[in-house]
Amino acid sequence: MPDSFISSVQERVRDAQAHARPLVIRGGNTKAFYGGARAPTDEVDMRAYSGIIDYQPRELVLTVKAGTPIHEIDAALDAQGQMLAFEPPQYDLGATIGGVIASGLSGPRRAYVGAVRDFVLGTRIINGKGEDLRFGGRVIKNVAGYDVSRLMAGAMGTLGILIDVSLKVLPKPVSEVTLRFAFDQAQALQKFNEWAGQPIPLSGTAWQDGVAHVRLSGTQAGVTTAVQRLGGEQIDAETARKFWTSMRDQQHACFGGSHTLWRLSVPATTPPITVAGAGAPLIEWGGALRWLRGPLDAAALRAQIAALGGHVTIMRRGDGGADAAYPVFHPLEGKLAELNRNLKLAFDPANILNRGRLDNF
Amino acid sequence: MASVSTASTSHSSPAPDPAIDPAALQSLRQQVQRALSNVLPDSALLVAREDLRPYECDGLTAYRQLPMLAVLPRTVNEVQQIMRQADQLGAKVVARGSGTGLSGGATPLEDGILMSLAKFSQIVSVDQAARTAVVQPGVRNLKISEEVAPLGLYYAPDPSSQIACSIGGNVAENSGGVHCLKYGLTVHNILKIEVVTADGQAVTIGSDALDSPGYDLLALMTGSEGMLGITTEVTVKLTPKPQLARVVMASFDDVEKAGEAVAAVIGAGIIPAGLEMMDKLAIHAVEDFVHAGYDMNAAAILLCESDGTPEEVAEEVAKMEAVMRAAGATACRVSKDEAERLKFWSGRKAAFPAVGRISADYICIDGSIPRGALAFVLRRTDELSAKYGLRCANVFHAGDGNLHPLILFDANKPGDLEKTEAFCAELLELCIEVGGTITGEHGVGIEKINQMCSQFSDSEREMFFAVKRAFDPKMLLNPGKAIPSLHRCAEYGRMRVSGGQLPHPDIPRF
């Protein structure tokens, strides 16, 4: 039986396409600050399409409507001792799973268990032509057709309106311990990488201002062994939980301030990066993610980080600042830019879906 | 028996394109040969029929076709030159790694260039600190793990053909293996690929960081069956080698109980390193062949592996055993050392050749289903087996719901092949019906192209074509594979193994 919400969205997309009029897709609006500016235009509010469609804990698979708030999903998973292993940021209670997938943002566990895209098994979308399409499915292994589902992660809603999504979920670890170490930056980077190359159940790493936090998750025995091996100072569970939540949601004090927040994604082994005009970074993901705050020269920073094999995203624009004219995402060039553009037009020929949210698209 | 298909059972293609005019083909061949001889050394260009013979099929031997000609480039520049010439002349190109694929993804085209990446066989670099290796596409999967073993690292995805299959082919198929529930598929274990596009340009997709700007083309390219670009280099993630692995082997007197035990293991919050299941027919075939010590009285056995530190493994194995017993296991054995662990696995890995010994021919299915449907699908499979009067041996990657039923038949017995094909079709439709998929890890290729018509709607398939055109507007890369046109949605084709033989019978599979 056709769902009236879905058919109404299809109708709106077809109408928008016919008039080449952009449509903005919104969930909880908690990540409106992230990505390119939105066109001031009609909204498709996904919050009207909310709820768990199917959750089989023994399958490790959850199928959920795109407008479902993350906190609802977390509660349902928690009741079964399971979790979304990529730890999506939740800027506030309104955040929806659709927004999580579209933004492609993952939390502290990302470096050790995978990103949003790694847990996407299937999607139902409405493309820019108003077609109702399903890709992937509810099984762990599936190679029928191109992997369009994972492509939705991080696409900022520019390829299709996410209707529902099937995700692989994981059991919560039996045991979890956070250790604290006094390390300088170089030492932290070296240790994070060294430990990641050993069979140690890492599930989070962070460093700032001479202090490294290392989270271990796994079996009781596995965590106990690792704690003995690594040393450091064990912090109490509640403090640890608050710390990792503040990292995940970027609520930690070091994310504060009125300057632009820069997200540097680099190879994890990159030595300490010195950026003119910025202090030492906050480091996550074993060294692969470095945060800076400051009124920096976007072009110079991008060139510097690209030369290291990484890229720079403007996570939050500051007040005023010289970066206002720069694109949020690292600009693509040449053939890669062409492939991205072609793909966008394949899904959304009239360029109506979330226009501008991925800078050019 | 010889592995070559007999004329009566050999397939050309499920829905062949209109015959190609021989004169036009000859003219195209000459043009392409002339153009390529300008950019390639003689040794890299094969045109004689006897030189093309080794490329006439991949692991799906029922489909054979000599390519128009074959090229063996050695450098990225040569790959680019080949693609530029092909682009200009409108010539199709099929890329090929080791040719172990089971769905015909590398089956040549009569009017196409076959590009073997076999000369790209170098491990370019290994970065111990970053836990990555840069390898050329022709490098064999297992070779990577062998190379980095002294560093305490390995490459996690382990398709059973790993001693022969190439990493380029793994990327094209998004290959899995017996450990993917815990360690992921190819898509989870690669960081970056260098690609030559259909128009001969070189592009880097992904990066040495954990993400890249733009759409996730790395995910899209993985499993795209060589239809979006030619991979010329792969940066893989390396995983720390677990200190220890042990396997629990549990016997069940009922297949459905074994299926329930699989669900119970996952339900208990355990993610086993591997969780495999075999039914009675498979157990007997294997035990007679490799003497792995399997319980001949069992209706099904489960192999459930735990890996990690000795302490972790001890904790997990105890849990696994308890769950198995609670689920009704009639016997439970835990491997006491590495030799015994490998012995337990040897049977599972030899399942296909073992079945090949007890039947003239067999067909392998690769459907994937929600684990909860396992018992139902097994029961239906039994009923179908009775209905068609054909034996069916069941081996599964039970942990991730990936089925490999083997239907046993005799191609020389009139009507057997037709019955087998009908059996396969019903099984694949059943997989779709219970919310699964027609292929978990072998790919669509040409083998399952017709079932794509059942699994996807017209507009979904058209969306796939639109994705294809975004990368390859002239539709030159491996056209006719994986995504069926409306025209092709008419007939059914499938893999069969003639004479119980795969082309490399010595390679363990699945």
Side-chain angles (χ1 to χ4, degrees), chain A residues 57-61 82 110-111 117-119 127 129 131-136 138-148 150-151 153-155 158-159 168 170-171 174 192-194 196-199 201 218-223 225 229 263 265-269 285 288 309-311 329-330 332 335-336 338-344 346-347 358 361, chain B residues 129-131 153 173-174 177 180-181 185 187-188 197 199 201 203-205 207-220 224-225 227-228 240-241 243 260 263-264 266-267 269 271 309 311-312 315-316 319 368-373 397 400 402 435-444 452 455-456 459-460 463-464 466-468 470-471 483:
Chain A
R58 289 177 156 208
E59 299 287 335
L60 301 177
V61 177
Q82 297 186 338
R110 190 268 171 263
R117 57 89 95 163
D118 294 310
F119 290 88
N127 69 3
K129 296 194 273 188
E131 293 168 331
D132 180 8
L133 309 169
R134 292 166 196 262
F135 299 102
R138 296 194 298 116
V139 288
I140 307 291
K141 280 159 96 177
N142 187 354
V143 291
Y146 303 130
D147 200 342
V148 171
R150 292 188 207 280
L151 192 59
T158 60
L159 298 178
K168 180 181 173 184
L170 286 181
V174 176
F192 289 169
N193 280 289
E194 184 188 312
Q198 297 169 9
T219 58
Q220 200 81 53
V223 170
T225 315
R229 186 159 163 191
R263 179 186 186 277
S265 177
V266 294
T269 49
W285 295 2
H311 65 102
F329 300 100
H330 211 108
L332 303 174
K335 185 71 184 177
L336 196 56
E338 181 192 318
L339 292 176
N340 273 265
R341 193 165 52 244
N342 290 350
L343 210 47
K344 162 70 178 174
F347 282 87
L358 208 54
F361 305 134
Chain B
R131 291 97 55 208
L153 300 169
E173 302 294 329
N174 191 15
C180 37
L181 184 62
L185 308 161
V187 69
H188 303 109
T197 56
D199 60 356
Q201 298 198 53
V203 190
T204 302
I205 289 174
S207 78
D208 293 322
L210 290 178
D211 46 39
S212 309
Y215 297 126
D216 195 338
L217 302 189
L218 189 61
L220 187 63
S224 64
E225 304 200 18
M227 296 173 74
L228 303 182
K241 248 166 92 173
Q243 284 168 267
E260 283 302 315
I266 308 293
I271 302 290
T309 62
E311 299 84 355
E312 283 175 302
E315 182 179 325
E316 204 167 69
K319 266 193 196 171
S368 207
I369 56 166
R371 275 179 297 263
H397 302 303
D400 38 42
N402 190 191
T437 179
I438 56 171
T439 175
E441 59 181 359
H442 297 166
V444 174
M452 289 291 284
Q455 189 162 338
F456 294 98
S459 47
E460 285 156 355
M463 193 66 246
F464 287 141
V467 169
K468 165 86 171 143
F471 284 76
I483 318 294

Side-chain angles (χ1 to χ4, degrees), chain B residues 409-432:
Chain B
F409 70 105
D410 182 353
N412 291 321
K413 201 168 144 194
D416 243 25
L417 179 65
E418 291 70 22
K419 279 197 290 183
T420 307
E421 297 198 326
F423 191 165
C424 287
E426 279 205 58
L427 261 182
L428 288 179
E429 298 288 341
L430 179 63
C431 290
I432 299 173

Side-chain angles (χ1 to χ4, degrees), chain A residues 12-271:
Chain A
R12 288 186 66 189
V13 172
R14 284 192 212 107
D15 185 59
Q17 189 198 16
H19 299 93
R21 192 180 61 240
L23 278 180
V24 161
I25 310 156
R26 66 156 284 175
N29 231 5
T30 60
K31 290 179 274 290
F33 65 87
Y34 180 65
R38 301 194 294 191
T41 183
D42 293 356
E43 272 187 358
V44 177
D45 191 337
M46 296 303 296
R47 288 175 301 178
Y49 195 68
S50 170
I52 290 170
I53 296 171
D54 190 21
Y55 172 38
Q56 304 288 340
R58 289 177 156 208
E59 299 287 335
L60 301 177
V61 177
L62 168 81
T63 303
V64 64
K65 294 178 181 177
T68 313
I70 289 292
H71 71 89
E72 276 186 39
I73 294 172
D74 275 348
L77 292 173
D78 196 57
Q80 300 292 333
Q82 297 186 338
M83 63 178 183
L84 293 174
F86 53 92
E87 283 188 302
Q90 298 170 40
Y91 299 101
D92 72 39
L93 282 181
T96 63
I97 190 69
V100 164
I101 306 297
S103 65
L105 298 172
S106 306
R109 224 175 275 271
R110 190 268 171 263
Y112 307 100
V113 303
V116 183
R117 57 89 95 163
D118 294 310
F119 290 88
V120 172
L121 299 176
T123 51
R124 178 176 185 180
I125 64 165
I126 291 174
N127 69 3
K129 296 194 273 188
E131 293 168 331
D132 180 8
L133 309 169
R134 292 166 196 262
F135 299 102
R138 296 194 298 116
V139 288
I140 307 291
K141 280 159 96 177
N142 187 354
V143 291
Y146 303 130
D147 200 342
V148 171
S149 297
R150 292 188 207 280
L151 192 59
M152 295 301 139
M156 298 296 285
T158 60
L159 298 178
I161 300 177
L162 203 62
I163 296 299
D164 65 46
V165 59
S166 293
L167 296 165
K168 180 181 173 184
V169 298
L170 286 181
K172 286 193 159 177
V174 176
S175 172
E176 197 152 272
V177 164
T178 295
L179 302 173
R180 195 158 50 189
F181 299 84
F183 285 155
D184 66 27
Q185 190 184 167
Q187 211 176 359
L189 288 169
Q190 195 259 327
K191 284 292 181 193
F192 289 169
N193 280 289
E194 184 188 312
W195 290 336
Q198 297 169 9
I200 293 169
L202 293 173
S203 68
T205 44
W207 176 90
Q208 201 199 20
D209 285 341
V211 180
H213 284 82
V214 174
R215 186 175 60 184
L216 304 161
S217 308
T219 58
Q220 200 81 53
V223 170
T224 307
T225 315
V227 167
Q228 286 160 1
R229 186 159 163 191
L230 299 191
E233 173 203 351
Q234 196 167 326
I235 63 177
D236 75 88
E238 185 54 20
T239 311
R241 192 192 60 76
K242 281 186 180 151
F243 174 80
W244 293 111
T245 303
S246 74
M247 296 303 291
R248 181 194 75 188
D249 297 347
Q250 295 159 16
Q251 306 291 341
H252 196 264
C254 48
F255 289 102
S258 61
H259 288 305
T260 294
L261 179 63
W262 306 85
R263 179 186 186 277
L264 280 51
S265 177
V266 294
T269 49
T270 308

